[in-house]
Amino acid sequence: MDIAANLEKIQNRIHAACERAGRDPSSVELMAVSKNHPPETVAAAAALGLRLFGENKVQEARAKIPLCPGHLRWHLIGHLQSNKAKEAVQWFQMVQGVDSLALARELQKRAEAAARTLPILLEVNVAGESTKFGYRPETLLQELAALNALPRLEIHGLMCMAPYAIQPETVRPVFRRCRELARRCEELLGAPLPTLSMGMSGDFEVAIEEGSTLVRVGTSLFGERSYAARREASLAAPEDP
Ligand SMILES: *Cc1c(COP(=O)(O)O)cnc(C)c1O
């Protein structure tokens, strides 16, 4: 695994996608998705200048983050259960993937208790996949005012995951709809939503062409999440029963 070479390839692909879309490459942030990878891998990525890391499980993050360099930013990118909201507020600078008012209210309570404000992204399930978490667009529009009224939460934008596709071009409409929904939310809020978290290893170029400002890349940077790496990570951070 050559993270430096992988990173260079990813940066070249980000630049090329920005060029095609007439965008400034500095408008797209690269998140290194470090789930199932050990702290040493995070340290190696940090040594190459990466600063933003994504984890999808609170229990894995709790075991890993204290062992990583201290100057990194961490976002929770996976589905969050309300009973882990307190720890999420403790470990993460941002919670991506808020997908219900109940969860938002729990995060509000925990952020209040921690005397901090919590930046969040609202996850949308634009493709309507039953296997994925995320707001249905209509529900999001209905609940937006109530979400925005929670004083300790700062809505920075939207997050989405496209269905897996061998041809990334086929999921372009998903990213486009997410961007359009973000614009609609901006109108309703009367405030800008600067962050659109869209695109993973298989589809980040199309996502950038459709307006993504934050791409979440794991496999293209660190290689396949092997069984061995998963086992190591789960030994370090046992799953809750
Ligand atoms: C795992 C994960 C990613 C990264 O996926 P890759 O295909 O490995 O780049 C991005 N976003 C979320 C929410 C994930 O869970």
Side-chain angles (χ1 to χ4, degrees):
M1 168 172 79
D2 186 343
I3 303 176
N6 291 346
L7 177 59
E8 196 185 332
K9 277 186 217 141
I10 293 163
Q11 280 166 339
N12 288 339
R13 288 166 62 190
I14 291 174
H15 276 77
C18 284
E19 194 152 298
R20 285 193 296 278
R23 296 184 55 192
D24 181 346
S26 70
S27 69
V28 180
E29 186 167 22
L30 172 61
M31 165 193 282
V33 176
S34 49
K35 65 184 184 198
N36 300 134
H37 293 290
E40 300 74 57
T41 304
V42 173
L48 296 168
L50 288 164
R51 291 292 174 268
L52 176 61
F53 289 79
E55 288 288 331
N56 71 338
K57 293 200 175 73
V58 173
Q59 57 271 37
E60 186 176 336
R62 156 214 305 154
K64 187 184 299 182
I65 294 176
L67 305 177
C68 291
H71 57 295
L72 308 178
R73 288 181 295 132
W74 295 88
H75 288 188
L76 181 64
I77 57 173
H79 179 69
L80 176 63
Q81 292 166 280
S82 289
N83 63 3
K84 302 216 176 77
K86 183 179 178 200
E87 270 208 281
V89 167
Q90 181 183 346
W91 293 111
F92 293 98
Q93 278 76 55
M94 179 186 273
V95 172
Q96 301 193 9
V98 174
D99 60 0
S100 74
L101 197 49
L103 174 61
R105 286 187 174 130
E106 188 62 27
L107 287 167
Q108 155 70 27
K109 190 170 101 188
R110 299 304 182 174
E112 177 79 43
R116 64 170 290 200
T117 54
L118 181 71
I120 61 165
L121 300 182
L122 301 167
E123 181 173 3
V124 276
N125 183 355
V126 262
E129 286 180 286
S130 58
T131 53
K132 287 222 166 77
F133 293 105
Y135 266 114
R136 286 169 54 233
E138 315 80 72
T139 315
L140 173 62
L141 294 171
Q142 281 160 13
E143 294 192 352
L144 193 60
L147 291 162
N148 192 45
L150 299 170
R152 291 285 178 173
L153 303 192
E154 274 173 10
I155 305 173
H156 282 224
L158 303 187
M159 180 259 204
C160 77
M161 270 175 96
Y164 175 76
I166 292 170
Q167 293 291 333
E169 195 54 45
T170 59
V171 294
R172 183 182 295 276
V174 173
F175 296 133
R176 185 169 297 168
R177 257 179 276 150
C178 190
R179 188 227 309 149
E180 288 167 356
L181 186 62
R183 297 294 88 87
R184 183 90 185 80
C185 291
E186 286 181 329
E187 285 168 21
L188 289 172
L189 294 173
L193 292 177
T195 307
L196 258 186
S197 173
M198 325 192 282
M200 319 191 345
S201 290
D203 57 21
F204 69 81
E205 286 144 300
V206 175
I208 288 169
E209 288 167 21
E210 293 302 328
S212 173
T213 68
L214 197 167
V215 292
R216 311 177 307 264
V217 178
T219 308
S220 292
L221 185 62
F222 297 125
E224 291 290 335
R225 290 178 286 274
S226 69
Y227 175 71
R230 266 205 293 276
R231 205 172 131 263
E232 208 174 291
S234 68
L235 285 177
E239 289 294 311
D240 290 357

